[in-house]
PDB file of all heavy atoms in Angstrom:
ATOM      1  N   ILE Q  50       1.911   3.136 -16.074  1.00 98.00           N
ATOM      2  CA  ILE Q  50       1.044   3.314 -14.884  1.00 98.00           C
ATOM      3  C   ILE Q  50       1.878   3.976 -13.749  1.00 98.00           C
ATOM      4  O   ILE Q  50       2.059   3.457 -12.683  1.00 98.00           O
ATOM      5  CB  ILE Q  50       0.298   2.073 -14.393  1.00 98.00           C
ATOM      6  CG1 ILE Q  50      -0.192   1.145 -15.498  1.00 98.00           C
ATOM      7  CG2 ILE Q  50      -0.909   2.511 -13.506  1.00 98.00           C
ATOM      8  CD1 ILE Q  50      -1.119   0.007 -15.041  1.00 98.00           C
ATOM      9  N   SER Q 110       6.832  -5.498  -4.965  1.00 98.00           N
ATOM     10  CA  SER Q 110       5.676  -4.984  -5.739  1.00 98.00           C
ATOM     11  C   SER Q 110       4.816  -4.190  -4.750  1.00 98.00           C
ATOM     12  O   SER Q 110       4.934  -4.313  -3.541  1.00 98.00           O
ATOM     13  CB  SER Q 110       4.779  -6.100  -6.335  1.00 98.00           C
ATOM     14  OG  SER Q 110       4.256  -6.801  -5.261  1.00 98.00           O
ATOM     15  N   GLY Q 111       3.957  -3.397  -5.324  1.00 98.00           N
ATOM     16  CA  GLY Q 111       3.085  -2.551  -4.484  1.00 98.00           C
ATOM     17  C   GLY Q 111       2.214  -3.456  -3.618  1.00 98.00           C
ATOM     18  O   GLY Q 111       1.976  -3.175  -2.413  1.00 98.00           O
ATOM     19  N   ALA Q 112       1.624  -4.528  -4.248  1.00 98.00           N
ATOM     20  CA  ALA Q 112       0.740  -5.349  -3.432  1.00 98.00           C
ATOM     21  C   ALA Q 112       1.573  -5.973  -2.230  1.00 98.00           C
ATOM     22  O   ALA Q 112       1.006  -6.031  -1.129  1.00 98.00           O
ATOM     23  CB  ALA Q 112       0.195  -6.456  -4.370  1.00 98.00           C
ATOM     24  N   TYR Q 138      -8.035   0.906  -4.518  1.00 98.00           N
ATOM     25  CA  TYR Q 138      -7.223  -0.158  -5.184  1.00 98.00           C
ATOM     26  C   TYR Q 138      -5.840  -0.422  -4.502  1.00 98.00           C
ATOM     27  O   TYR Q 138      -5.144   0.577  -4.230  1.00 98.00           O
ATOM     28  CB  TYR Q 138      -6.907   0.218  -6.643  1.00 98.00           C
ATOM     29  CG  TYR Q 138      -6.178  -0.917  -7.376  1.00 98.00           C
ATOM     30  CD1 TYR Q 138      -6.860  -1.833  -8.123  1.00 98.00           C
ATOM     31  CD2 TYR Q 138      -4.777  -1.068  -7.238  1.00 98.00           C
ATOM     32  CE1 TYR Q 138      -6.191  -2.913  -8.689  1.00 98.00           C
ATOM     33  CE2 TYR Q 138      -4.083  -2.075  -7.854  1.00 98.00           C
ATOM     34  CZ  TYR Q 138      -4.786  -3.006  -8.573  1.00 98.00           C
ATOM     35  OH  TYR Q 138      -4.100  -4.106  -9.124  1.00 98.00           O
ATOM     36  N   HIS Q 139      -5.650  -1.661  -4.130  1.00 98.00           N
ATOM     37  CA  HIS Q 139      -4.447  -1.868  -3.370  1.00 98.00           C
ATOM     38  C   HIS Q 139      -3.657  -3.156  -3.871  1.00 98.00           C
ATOM     39  O   HIS Q 139      -2.641  -3.490  -3.304  1.00 98.00           O
ATOM     40  CB  HIS Q 139      -4.709  -2.144  -1.868  1.00 98.00           C
ATOM     41  CG  HIS Q 139      -5.394  -0.929  -1.284  1.00 98.00           C
ATOM     42  ND1 HIS Q 139      -4.640   0.247  -1.038  1.00 98.00           N
ATOM     43  CD2 HIS Q 139      -6.672  -0.656  -0.900  1.00 98.00           C
ATOM     44  CE1 HIS Q 139      -5.518   1.163  -0.498  1.00 98.00           C
ATOM     45  NE2 HIS Q 139      -6.679   0.658  -0.445  1.00 98.00           N
ATOM     46  N   GLY Q 140      -4.106  -3.793  -5.004  1.00 98.00           N
ATOM     47  CA  GLY Q 140      -3.378  -4.952  -5.556  1.00 98.00           C
ATOM     48  C   GLY Q 140      -4.240  -6.095  -5.938  1.00 98.00           C
ATOM     49  O   GLY Q 140      -5.453  -6.074  -5.868  1.00 98.00           O
ATOM     50  N   ARG Q 141      -3.527  -7.198  -6.358  1.00 98.00           N
ATOM     51  CA  ARG Q 141      -4.221  -8.337  -6.917  1.00 98.00           C
ATOM     52  C   ARG Q 141      -3.858  -9.644  -6.197  1.00 98.00           C
ATOM     53  O   ARG Q 141      -4.228 -10.683  -6.636  1.00 98.00           O
ATOM     54  CB  ARG Q 141      -3.825  -8.532  -8.364  1.00 98.00           C
ATOM     55  CG  ARG Q 141      -4.272  -7.390  -9.343  1.00 98.00           C
ATOM     56  CD  ARG Q 141      -3.670  -7.742 -10.713  1.00 98.00           C
ATOM     57  NE  ARG Q 141      -3.945  -6.847 -11.701  1.00 98.00           N
ATOM     58  CZ  ARG Q 141      -5.008  -6.992 -12.611  1.00 98.00           C
ATOM     59  NH1 ARG Q 141      -5.729  -8.063 -12.570  1.00 98.00           N
ATOM     60  NH2 ARG Q 141      -5.211  -6.093 -13.605  1.00 98.00           N
ATOM     61  N   TYR Q 155     -10.706  -7.237 -11.299  1.00 98.00           N
ATOM     62  CA  TYR Q 155      -9.694  -7.645 -10.335  1.00 98.00           C
ATOM     63  C   TYR Q 155     -10.018  -8.883  -9.420  1.00 98.00           C
ATOM     64  O   TYR Q 155      -9.132  -9.557  -8.955  1.00 98.00           O
ATOM     65  CB  TYR Q 155      -9.361  -6.457  -9.403  1.00 98.00           C
ATOM     66  CG  TYR Q 155      -9.029  -5.186 -10.123  1.00 98.00           C
ATOM     67  CD1 TYR Q 155      -9.771  -4.065  -9.944  1.00 98.00           C
ATOM     68  CD2 TYR Q 155      -7.990  -5.157 -11.041  1.00 98.00           C
ATOM     69  CE1 TYR Q 155      -9.479  -2.922 -10.684  1.00 98.00           C
ATOM     70  CE2 TYR Q 155      -7.677  -4.025 -11.743  1.00 98.00           C
ATOM     71  CZ  TYR Q 155      -8.439  -2.895 -11.561  1.00 98.00           C
ATOM     72  OH  TYR Q 155      -8.097  -1.735 -12.310  1.00 98.00           O
ATOM     73  N   GLU Q 207      -5.604   5.511  -0.130  1.00 99.00           N
ATOM     74  CA  GLU Q 207      -4.798   6.252  -1.063  1.00 99.00           C
ATOM     75  C   GLU Q 207      -5.138   7.717  -0.917  1.00 99.00           C
ATOM     76  O   GLU Q 207      -6.342   8.170  -1.033  1.00 99.00           O
ATOM     77  CB  GLU Q 207      -5.105   5.808  -2.538  1.00 99.00           C
ATOM     78  CG  GLU Q 207      -4.968   4.290  -2.768  1.00 99.00           C
ATOM     79  CD  GLU Q 207      -5.915   3.933  -3.949  1.00 99.00           C
ATOM     80  OE1 GLU Q 207      -5.495   4.069  -5.088  1.00 99.00           O
ATOM     81  OE2 GLU Q 207      -7.022   3.453  -3.709  1.00 99.00           O
ATOM     82  N   GLU Q 212      -6.433   3.781  -9.459  1.00 98.00           N
ATOM     83  CA  GLU Q 212      -7.272   2.946 -10.377  1.00 98.00           C
ATOM     84  C   GLU Q 212      -8.779   3.350 -10.212  1.00 98.00           C
ATOM     85  O   GLU Q 212      -9.539   3.211 -11.157  1.00 98.00           O
ATOM     86  CB  GLU Q 212      -7.127   1.438 -10.083  1.00 98.00           C
ATOM     87  CG  GLU Q 212      -5.681   0.953 -10.141  1.00 98.00           C
ATOM     88  CD  GLU Q 212      -4.965   1.194 -11.430  1.00 98.00           C
ATOM     89  OE1 GLU Q 212      -5.496   0.900 -12.474  1.00 98.00           O
ATOM     90  OE2 GLU Q 212      -3.866   1.915 -11.347  1.00 98.00           O
ATOM     91  N   ASP Q 240      -1.477   4.647   1.271  1.00 99.00           N
ATOM     92  CA  ASP Q 240      -0.945   3.899   0.148  1.00 99.00           C
ATOM     93  C   ASP Q 240      -0.516   4.955  -0.897  1.00 99.00           C
ATOM     94  O   ASP Q 240      -1.420   5.472  -1.601  1.00 99.00           O
ATOM     95  CB  ASP Q 240      -1.962   2.911  -0.441  1.00 99.00           C
ATOM     96  CG  ASP Q 240      -1.513   2.190  -1.578  1.00 99.00           C
ATOM     97  OD1 ASP Q 240      -0.477   2.544  -2.192  1.00 99.00           O
ATOM     98  OD2 ASP Q 240      -2.160   1.157  -1.981  1.00 99.00           O
ATOM     99  N   ILE Q 242       1.543   4.389  -3.395  1.00 98.00           N
ATOM    100  CA  ILE Q 242       2.114   3.630  -4.488  1.00 98.00           C
ATOM    101  C   ILE Q 242       1.978   4.391  -5.792  1.00 98.00           C
ATOM    102  O   ILE Q 242       2.920   4.437  -6.621  1.00 98.00           O
ATOM    103  CB  ILE Q 242       1.618   2.203  -4.469  1.00 98.00           C
ATOM    104  CG1 ILE Q 242       2.209   1.479  -3.296  1.00 98.00           C
ATOM    105  CG2 ILE Q 242       1.870   1.547  -5.820  1.00 98.00           C
ATOM    106  CD1 ILE Q 242       1.582   0.186  -2.956  1.00 98.00           C
ATOM    107  N   GLN Q 243       0.812   4.938  -6.044  1.00 98.00           N
ATOM    108  CA  GLN Q 243       0.596   5.627  -7.342  1.00 98.00           C
ATOM    109  C   GLN Q 243       0.895   7.173  -7.168  1.00 98.00           C
ATOM    110  O   GLN Q 243       1.361   7.843  -8.133  1.00 98.00           O
ATOM    111  CB  GLN Q 243      -0.821   5.440  -7.825  1.00 98.00           C
ATOM    112  CG  GLN Q 243      -1.000   5.867  -9.272  1.00 98.00           C
ATOM    113  CD  GLN Q 243      -2.060   5.150 -10.027  1.00 98.00           C
ATOM    114  OE1 GLN Q 243      -2.539   5.639 -11.085  1.00 98.00           O
ATOM    115  NE2 GLN Q 243      -2.395   3.914  -9.677  1.00 98.00           N
ATOM    116  N   LYS Q 269       6.174   1.675  -7.627  1.00 98.00           N
ATOM    117  CA  LYS Q 269       6.028   2.333  -8.896  1.00 98.00           C
ATOM    118  C   LYS Q 269       7.228   3.302  -9.177  1.00 98.00           C
ATOM    119  O   LYS Q 269       8.271   2.967  -9.544  1.00 98.00           O
ATOM    120  CB  LYS Q 269       4.685   3.073  -9.010  1.00 98.00           C
ATOM    121  CG  LYS Q 269       3.522   2.100  -9.173  1.00 98.00           C
ATOM    122  CD  LYS Q 269       2.248   2.836  -9.432  1.00 98.00           C
ATOM    123  CE  LYS Q 269       1.040   1.899  -9.546  1.00 98.00           C
ATOM    124  NZ  LYS Q 269       0.858   1.256 -10.793  1.00 98.00           N
TER     125      LYS Q 269
HETATM  126  N1  LIG E   1      -1.646   0.435  -4.582  1.00 66.13           N
HETATM  127  C1  LIG E   1      -2.460   2.762  -5.007  1.00 66.13           C
HETATM  128  O1  LIG E   1      -1.958   1.967  -7.744  1.00 66.13           O
HETATM  129  C2  LIG E   1      -1.010  -0.562  -8.645  1.00 66.13           C
HETATM  130  C3  LIG E   1      -2.055  -1.809 -11.143  1.00 66.13           C
HETATM  131  C4  LIG E   1      -2.912  -1.999 -12.353  1.00 66.13           C
HETATM  132  P1  LIG E   1       1.558  -3.505  -7.829  1.00 66.13           P
HETATM  133  N2  LIG E   1      -1.821   0.115  -9.606  1.00 66.13           N
HETATM  134  C5  LIG E   1      -1.672  -0.384 -11.017  1.00 66.13           C
HETATM  135  C6  LIG E   1      -3.324  -3.390 -12.525  1.00 66.13           C
HETATM  136  O2  LIG E   1      -4.352  -3.551 -13.305  1.00 66.13           O
HETATM  137  O3  LIG E   1      -2.769  -4.349 -11.968  1.00 66.13           O
HETATM  138  C7  LIG E   1      -1.192  -0.196  -7.199  1.00 66.13           C
HETATM  139  C8  LIG E   1      -1.711   1.108  -6.779  1.00 66.13           C
HETATM  140  C9  LIG E   1      -1.923   1.357  -5.471  1.00 66.13           C
HETATM  141  C10 LIG E   1      -1.222  -0.748  -4.846  1.00 66.13           C
HETATM  142  C11 LIG E   1      -0.944  -1.125  -6.182  1.00 66.13           C
HETATM  143  C12 LIG E   1      -0.405  -2.482  -6.515  1.00 66.13           C
HETATM  144  O4  LIG E   1       0.912  -2.389  -6.973  1.00 66.13           O
HETATM  145  O5  LIG E   1       2.958  -3.183  -7.997  1.00 66.13           O
HETATM  146  O6  LIG E   1       0.786  -3.642  -9.136  1.00 66.13           O
HETATM  147  O7  LIG E   1       1.327  -4.790  -6.985  1.00 66.13           O
END
Side-chain angles (χ1 to χ4, degrees):
I50 321 191
S110 66
Y138 183 92
H139 301 287
R141 294 175 180 265
Y155 309 120
E207 304 156 82
E212 306 305 304
D240 180 346
I242 286 165
Q243 192 150 160
K269 290 190 184 280

